Amino acid sequence: MSDKQQQVSGSLVIAEALVQLGIKHVFGIVGIPVIEVANALIARGIKFISFRNEQAAAYAASIYGYLTGLPGVCLVVGGPGVLHAIAGVGNASANHLPFLLLAGSSETHQVEKGAFQELDQVAYLAPHTKLSVRPASIEAIPTLLEKAYRTAYFGRPGPTYVDLPADFIQGSVAAATSAVRKIAPPGPAPRAAADPARIAQAVALLREAESPLLIIGKGAAYAQAEGAIRSFQETVQLPFLPTPMGKGVLPDDSPLNTSAARSAALKSADVILLLGARLNWILHYGEAPKFRPDVKIIQVDVAAEELGNNAGSAPLGIVGDINLVVAQLHDALVQLGSGTLGNGSGKLPAAIEAVKERNTQKARVVENNNVVPLKYQSVYRVIREVLARQPRKVVYVSEGANTMDISRSAFPLNEPRTRLDAGTNATMGVGLGYAIAAKAVDPASLVVAIEGDSAFGFSLAEVDTAVRHHLPIIFFVINNSGVYHGVDPARYENQEQNPLPATALALDTKYHLLGESFGALGYEVRDLQQLEAAVTDAVKKDQVAVINVIIESGKDKKLEFGWMASTKKAKL
Ligand code: ADP
């Protein structure tokens, strides 16, 4: 063998390391100097899903991490590529999603010379990641990749970053050096059980509670704790409330689900067991008036620093993995001979049941209103009914303001990790990347993205990504010609006298034609018959589809999410 044959390129060293970590998909966009890396990945059997904008690629990789429990990987160019991908880093950091970003960077000897796409990416990303590093040599790449991958999901999940200088990618090392020595996948994240004293304290509180409530957040879904939580719930029969992405950990169709009586359930709870959710805006900080001022919150989280925040109680908090902590609580209750908690009936308290019934009836009336122009609720009823007729698991992605908010209660879920939305930061533009990742994770599922027209616009070119990579997804564009409630068409008639508000988008944009131009199926619908026909056809044809649903626009409503109203009333 000649010396040349015994050399391996830096790009191959990177690809080998990712293969050895067990990575199946990488999301990203290529350019100098990472094109060789992507080609090496493809040659080694990793699927490289190439996007149209690094933002969407980074969002896709981060939610891939949420869905699989292992970090999603994104590869981009340096400079502007990293700046775009930072949107995904920030989103992963805010949502605690495991995510490894890799980016090319200018050659190591060109630092501060104004090199091609030069940026101090390690420094840029350091405040927003759990680890942000540049390897010192090609040989150092595999172990650092392993460390960054592991760091992203061990402990509290979050983003990490590895910088890949062009001279390392294009350079080579002797095959016999440590650069190509085997690294092993770190395996499942280690899980910590709770302090038994905290378990005993929590069990005593739960047993004494008159009106206990279980709240399930997306941390429980991410932890894949549905087995432990379902088994616990079989014994304790607690009224429960999922957060938007905590839906499906316990089936929404359970009689103990209080979602339709959310405010009443929160207001009446004296003891709350909070599994994998922060007391942030989504849960009104745990504060009055939404919560009882004397409520006792037993928060279970993998991150000790989360316990005691806002109206949380630090002394009641439990650090540990939800799977293990819930099993500990369950065992302790069983040992004490406890069965059903709360009112002991295994049913919702009568007052909450009455509110649930009333609200469910009200929602039914609204969704059966078949007027044209269409309204969200009747649109969602028809989509729900058509999807229920097909056998596949459905994963719902939803983003937008009203589009997302109203969809939360319109699509009951019975499986975890089947609703992906704008999350902790209410990030608009995540939907297409999330849908693409969800389809890549589970090709047998039916992925639908229910997008507000404004939200869809952030990354609509990713329809091309779905088409190119043969990832059939149904994109619904809920089109009211604007942000929030859209804009009254009359406002377009004389814009000199009546200028368009900042919430306006172009009237009746032909999103279905944009979809068709990328090779997707396109449908424009204005009534429920057309909608039913379009959804039925798209499901049957199993191709990427863009269904442009023109709905009523222009109703002047308050600009806020349902959640926010009561928060503003809270005393600070
Ligand atoms: P939501 O948006 O549903 O309210 P959050 O994102 O606010 O949920 O909270 C999720 C929480 O779950 C985070 O604080 C995170 O630390 C926590 N978490 C993630 N994985 C685990 C786990 N395995 N065990 C316990 N807590 C976890």
Side-chain angles (χ1 to χ4, degrees):
M1 226 183 246
S2 74
D3 272 1
K4 198 162 171 50
Q5 281 170 318
Q6 290 172 339
Q7 296 284 306
V8 287
S9 67
S11 49
L12 198 62
V13 169
I14 296 163
E16 276 303 324
L18 296 186
V19 168
Q20 283 163 23
L21 290 171
I23 286 155
K24 305 273 179 279
H25 294 89
V26 171
F27 304 85
I29 302 186
V30 294
I32 295 168
V34 298
I35 192 150
E36 291 101 318
V37 178
N39 284 336
L41 295 174
I42 294 166
R44 292 295 285 109
I46 291 177
K47 279 202 176 120
F48 184 78
I49 301 188
S50 53
F51 276 69
R52 300 294 299 268
N53 184 312
E54 289 92 352
Q55 276 193 7
Y59 293 143
S62 64
I63 210 70
Y64 185 93
Y66 171 78
L67 291 168
T68 60
L70 293 169
V73 181
C74 180
L75 174 70
V76 300
V77 298
V82 168
L83 291 175
H84 294 166
I86 279 179
V89 173
N91 187 59
S93 170
N95 285 280
H96 292 294
L97 308 175
F99 167 44
L100 169 58
L101 178 66
L102 307 176
S105 57
S106 37
E107 299 187 15
T108 47
H109 60 90
Q110 293 177 338
V111 170
E112 283 301 318
K113 291 183 75 175
F116 174 69
Q117 297 189 331
E118 183 181 359
L119 179 72
D120 185 354
Q121 292 151 190
V122 172
Y124 239 89
L125 287 159
H128 311 289
T129 51
K130 293 176 80 182
L131 179 76
S132 177
V133 281
R134 163 179 282 195
S137 63
I138 302 176
E139 286 86 344
I141 291 174
T143 44
L144 264 191
L145 284 177
E146 190 274 341
K147 177 167 179 165
Y149 183 74
R150 176 164 41 84
T151 304
Y153 75 108
F154 275 33
R156 193 181 212 184
T160 58
Y161 174 67
V162 178
D163 200 63
L164 301 170
D167 45 336
F168 291 2
I169 291 172
Q170 287 147 9
S172 58
V173 285
T177 68
S178 64
V180 287
R181 78 177 169 80
K182 293 267 180 285
I183 52 168
R191 304 190 304 191
D195 177 347
R198 296 269 169 140
I199 295 289
Q201 174 181 261
V203 161
L205 266 180
L206 284 166
R207 292 181 84 207
E208 285 159 16
E210 279 174 15
S211 188
L213 178 69
L214 173 62
I215 299 184
I216 298 173
K218 69 174 175 301
Y222 167 71
Q224 305 188 3
E226 55 273 14
I229 294 176
R230 286 179 183 208
S231 155
F232 173 71
Q233 176 67 348
E234 249 175 56
T235 304
V236 297
Q237 302 278 303
L238 281 170
F240 72 91
L241 178 72
T243 67
M245 281 175 62
K247 278 162 70 75
V249 170
L250 286 175
D252 267 345
D253 63 11
S254 159
L256 289 163
N257 184 0
T258 65
S259 294
R262 188 176 187 277
S263 295
L266 290 179
K267 181 84 196 168
S268 70
D270 59 348
V271 175
I272 290 176
L273 178 60
L274 179 64
L275 301 177
R278 285 166 283 175
L279 290 169
N280 59 14
W281 68 283
I282 290 181
L283 285 174
H284 320 281
Y285 316 106
E287 291 169 351
K290 268 294 200 180
F291 288 72
R292 274 170 59 157
D294 61 345
V295 64
K296 296 190 171 63
I297 301 178
I298 305 162
Q299 182 171 6
V300 179
D301 205 292
V302 76
E305 63 269 30
E306 198 55 55
L307 306 175
N309 283 341
N310 299 323
S313 157
L316 294 183
I318 301 180
V319 186
D321 173 76
I322 294 171
N323 289 279
L324 299 185
V325 174
V326 169
Q328 284 176 285
L329 291 169
H330 194 180
D331 287 350
L333 283 164
V334 170
Q335 268 175 24
L336 290 169
S338 280
T340 314
L341 294 174
N343 64 14
S345 69
K347 292 189 184 138
L348 290 181
I352 298 195
E353 183 61 46
V355 177
K356 178 176 175 177
E357 188 52 35
R358 200 170 56 235
N359 288 346
T360 307
Q361 287 304 337
K362 259 199 244 162
R364 214 162 277 151
V365 171
V366 178
E367 65 177 33
N368 285 325
N369 182 350
N370 297 342
V371 290
V372 172
L374 293 169
K375 289 180 184 291
Y376 291 99
Q377 290 85 349
S378 55
V379 166
Y380 292 166
R381 174 180 58 79
V382 168
I383 296 173
R384 184 180 69 227
E385 286 171 357
V386 177
L387 297 183
R389 284 184 224 133
Q390 62 81 50
R392 287 181 284 170
K393 171 178 125 183
V394 181
V395 180
Y396 296 89
V397 177
S398 190
E399 61 170 339
N402 298 331
T403 301
M404 178 175 76
D405 210 21
I406 297 169
S407 77
R408 195 164 32 97
S409 49
F411 297 98
L413 308 181
N414 291 323
E415 288 190 63
R417 299 172 294 284
T418 51
R419 178 182 163 95
L420 307 174
D421 67 20
T424 306
N425 252 357
T427 312
M428 292 300 126
V430 293
L432 281 87
Y434 277 13
I436 287 167
K439 190 67 184 172
V441 168
D442 185 1
S445 63
L446 176 58
V447 178
V448 300
I450 298 173
E451 299 274 313
D453 49 349
S454 166
F456 186 69
F458 282 80
S459 47
L460 59 81
E462 305 306 341
V463 174
D464 167 48
T465 308
V467 171
R468 235 176 329 109
H469 290 281
H470 308 291
L471 296 167
I473 294 162
I474 304 179
F475 296 103
F476 292 94
V477 186
I478 309 298
N479 187 352
N480 62 2
S481 306
V483 184
Y484 294 100
H485 45 64
V487 172
D488 183 350
R491 295 285 292 262
Y492 288 83
E493 279 161 15
N494 187 345
Q495 291 176 25
E496 260 176 43
Q497 279 181 10
N498 200 10
L500 288 176
T503 48
L505 296 172
L507 202 59
D508 282 5
T509 300
K510 306 285 180 208
Y511 293 105
H512 53 292
L513 297 183
L514 280 167
E516 282 181 12
S517 74
F518 288 122
L521 302 169
Y523 307 84
E524 183 182 41
V525 304
R526 289 174 186 274
D527 65 36
L528 295 177
Q529 287 73 25
Q530 290 170 351
L531 176 64
E532 182 171 356
V535 188
T536 307
D537 194 58
V539 169
K540 193 170 104 209
K541 291 195 171 131
D542 200 24
Q543 294 172 38
V544 182
V546 177
I547 303 182
N548 185 16
V549 186
I550 310 295
I551 65 160
E552 176 192 50
S553 63
K555 277 268 156 70
D556 264 338
K557 294 202 188 96
K558 255 165 97 189
L559 301 185
E560 66 184 8
F561 287 117
W563 290 304
M564 292 174 140
S566 48
T567 301
K568 277 196 261 171
K569 283 180 222 134
K571 292 207 173 58
L572 294 174

